[in-house]
Structures are given as C-alpha cells and as structure tokens.
Amino acid sequence: MSAARQPNDTCDLAIVDPCSSRGYAPSSLAMGGLGGTEATVLRVAGALSQDLPIIHYQKGRTDVETSEAGRMVPLTEAFTPNLCARIIVINSWKVACKLRRLNPDATIFLWLHIFPGRHNRPMGEALAAARIRVLCVSRSHARHLRAFTGNDARIHIDHVYNPIADDLHPNSTLHDPDRLLFASSPHKGLAEVYRQFRTARAAIPGLTLAVADPGYLAWDTGPVPDGVIRLGKLSHADLIAELRRALGLFYPQTTFAETFGLVLAEAGAVGTPVLVHRGLGANDEVAASQAVDCTDPASILARLRQWRDARPVVRTNPAFRMNAVVRHWAEILVPAKTARRRMVRKVA
C-alpha cells in the first residue's frame, strides 16, 4: 500500500454509529437516559481505548468531544477513504457496506444489537460480498442471525456479550417483598407487563410495580394500573439501587425479544431474581433458571408467591463480566499475541 493509501494514523479503531439520535459520551452514563446499546459501546470503548486510539462517529452529534472512551465526532466525517484499519459499525449493514467501498483494505465489523427485520433479507449476500464480520451480543442472537442469513458459510458470525461491571455484587440492602421493578423502554412490552401486574395485584393486593423509563422513546402503554410507581429516568447508580431494593425484576412480556438483556444480567449480578418469558430472545441464555411461561398468569403468580416465601439466590454468568468481555474483544481486534497479552493485563 502506498503512502497515499495509508489509513488514518491517529486512529486504531473507528466506531461508527449511524443509528444514535444524538451524540453521547461517558458523561452520559452518569446522567442516565442512554439505551443499552450506547451504554455498552461506551463501556467497551473505555476499556479498549487504553491500548487502541478510538474515534467515534455518531449520528446526531454536531461537535467534537474528547473523552476517556475516545474522540467523539459527527457521523458525516466517517465517509472518507481510508478511515481506519479497523472499523466497527453499529447495527447498520448498509452503512458497513458503504464503508467497505471507501475502505477496501480495512477490517470491518458489524456490531449487531438488534434482530434484523424481513426487509433486511438482502443483508446476508451483501455482508458476504463485502467481507464484513458480524458480532452479535449473545449465542442465541448469533444463532438467530445465522438462520436469518440462510446459514451462509461465507459470513463470519460471532458473538461478544454486553458487559456488566466486575464489581457489581450483592450487598446488605434489604429487599421489599411487595416491590417489583420494570426497567426498560416502554416499547419492550410494558403494556403487557401492566396487564400481568394488574392480574397479580388482584391476588396479592400489596404489590407495587416501580417503572424506570430511560425516556428515549414515547410509547402508548394503555391505562396505568393501581400500584404503579413511576420512577422516570434514573442514573445507572440509582437503577442498581432500585434493583437491589426490589423483590424481583418483573418482565413477563411475550413479544419483545431481547438480543441480550443488559438489565437482566445486572439484576443477576446484584442477586435480584428476574421473571421473564421462557424461550423468548436471549432470556434463557441470560436468566434460564428464572424463565417461566408468561402466557399463563397462574405461573407468574406462583413464581411471585415463591419469591415472597423465599427469595431465590441468583448469580450472573462470569462470561458477562467486563474483564471477560474485554478479553474476548482483545482476541478479536488485536490478534497479535503481544498486543493481546498487554490488553488482558490491563483489565486483570
């Protein structure tokens, strides 16, 4: 490659987010209101940036900001030749393919946090032709994508879990046996959760349901039942405090499939049980022992009564911890043994 063809020498890794509604940075984590995808991108970038200079290209950003997770710049600056030797595109296979045309020699990853819809059927052929590697956020997510793309052996599909903090563990906080928590955007089945809560509360009148809404999407959830406590947007620290306080995370919806379910993993990390629908998305992978048939209100009620009698002891999968996740990223992005050892030592 000639000198004129060299990629940007100020950047070892470009993260391109064409789906964000506004610019975001590590300071956004403390304020709350970020979606799980953005929060994960920042946490992973913050760990990787110790060894890899990173530039983030974000839709909705109008200024330039330098942070411990890298340099944040507007999305429009991404569409130039020879952007970087390694490029990660968030969710958009079309943008990944566009960047391949501009960066024929780069290693390009599509970091997928969503399930593609039917209108994305052409993505498999496009990804194969463009030599783009796909990183899903759970084994079940990767399995689904392989089936969606016709099990095309030309497409490299792997998974890297979304990380939870290494120091997130149970503490001495006493839980309230009457308090349940829903902590997701309302489009993730909150209307159905309200219906299930209304039925459960008819049998256990003292139940309350605290609802934490990150606030990035307005959604019609129908009438709000008695016993609901609206918490609104919470900082991450306040959300963890609510998880510790609740009897359990109440998520008995049967239609919205999580590709990972970060709050489910964090609940397990602090010892809070979760009530999720068996067989939906990544629920079984993240919280297998706690999944029930949520089409059956009697099963939901029986589980709640079990928890009230004896709250179960739960733990999270060690593979979800930041230390393990960054090791996996290091193996993917920095295959040279010396570089991998250096990155692993920094997170040990």
Side-chain angles (χ1 to χ4, degrees):
M1 185 183 291
S2 67
R5 296 277 295 165
Q6 290 296 325
N8 186 340
D9 61 4
T10 65
C11 169
D12 277 353
L13 176 64
I15 299 178
V16 181
D17 189 346
C19 305
S20 54
S21 59
R22 63 185 185 276
Y24 56 96
S27 57
S28 308
L29 288 170
M31 294 184 293
L34 274 185
T37 297
E38 292 87 351
T40 292
V41 168
L42 290 172
R43 289 172 181 141
V44 169
L48 294 177
S49 64
Q50 298 176 59
D51 282 271
L52 296 174
I54 299 174
I55 299 179
H56 298 245
Y57 300 85
Q58 300 171 346
K59 182 181 178 182
R61 176 172 286 280
T62 58
D63 61 349
V64 175
E65 180 176 352
T66 299
S67 77
E68 61 269 29
R71 186 165 174 258
M72 280 62 179
V73 301
L75 177 66
T76 52
E77 297 187 21
F79 301 104
T80 57
N82 303 311
L83 182 68
C84 194
R86 285 173 288 246
I87 303 171
I88 296 174
V89 180
I90 309 298
N91 286 337
S92 175
W93 62 271
K94 292 181 179 179
V95 169
C97 291
K98 182 176 181 179
L99 288 170
R100 167 58 73 209
R101 294 190 289 271
L102 292 166
N103 301 271
D105 299 316
T107 301
I108 300 180
F109 302 88
L110 174 64
W111 191 4
L112 201 62
H113 295 252
I114 58 175
F115 290 109
R118 294 177 183 175
H119 62 288
N120 290 309
R121 287 294 177 188
M123 73 181 289
E125 183 62 36
L127 291 171
R131 297 174 290 110
I132 292 169
R133 299 176 62 182
V134 185
L135 297 174
C136 296
V137 295
S138 65
R139 290 185 186 278
S140 55
H141 186 206
R143 188 165 54 246
H144 177 277
L145 186 66
R146 291 189 189 99
F148 181 84
T149 55
N151 293 302
D152 189 335
R154 296 174 300 163
I155 308 172
H156 182 99
I157 299 175
D158 198 354
H159 78 279
V160 185
Y161 288 123
N162 290 342
I164 59 174
D166 292 324
D167 60 357
L168 203 56
H169 297 288
N171 66 12
S172 59
T173 300
L174 296 178
H175 73 273
D176 181 342
D178 290 326
R179 189 178 179 93
L180 302 172
L181 176 68
F182 176 92
S184 294
S185 178
H187 75 285
K188 297 184 177 183
L190 182 55
E192 183 179 3
V193 170
Y194 277 164
R195 293 194 296 272
Q196 299 282 25
F197 173 71
R198 188 179 289 111
T199 299
R201 194 169 192 265
I204 309 174
L207 283 181
T208 60
L209 175 65
V211 176
D213 177 358
Y216 58 77
L217 183 63
W219 201 261
D220 181 12
T221 57
V224 178
D226 292 340
V228 168
I229 304 164
R230 296 186 182 186
L231 302 175
K233 182 173 71 174
L234 299 178
S235 69
H236 186 254
D238 287 341
L239 174 59
I240 295 302
E242 288 291 341
L243 279 171
R244 296 185 188 281
R245 178 184 177 190
L247 171 67
L249 190 67
F250 191 66
Y251 199 33
Q253 57 83 28
T254 61
T255 57
F256 187 92
E258 294 279 7
T259 53
F260 178 69
L262 186 62
V263 72
L264 308 184
E266 290 184 324
V270 300
T272 299
V274 302
L275 197 156
V276 291
H277 183 49
R278 184 180 298 126
L280 180 65
N283 286 352
D284 291 358
E285 188 172 352
V286 178
S289 64
Q290 302 159 73
V292 301
D293 178 7
C294 291
T295 64
D296 179 15
S299 295
I300 296 172
L301 184 59
R303 180 58 54 88
L304 292 177
R305 284 175 167 152
Q306 288 172 4
W307 286 358
R308 287 162 62 83
D309 289 342
R311 191 174 186 244
V313 176
V314 297
R315 295 291 184 267
T316 202
N317 185 341
F320 303 159
R321 296 288 186 182
M322 176 64 83
N323 189 293
V325 171
V326 174
R327 287 173 187 267
H328 196 171
W329 272 107
E331 292 167 359
I332 291 169
L333 294 174
V334 192
K337 290 183 180 179
T338 55
R340 181 163 63 248
R341 283 198 299 269
R342 184 171 66 251
M343 294 186 73
V344 168
R345 187 168 60 251
K346 284 198 175 253
V347 300

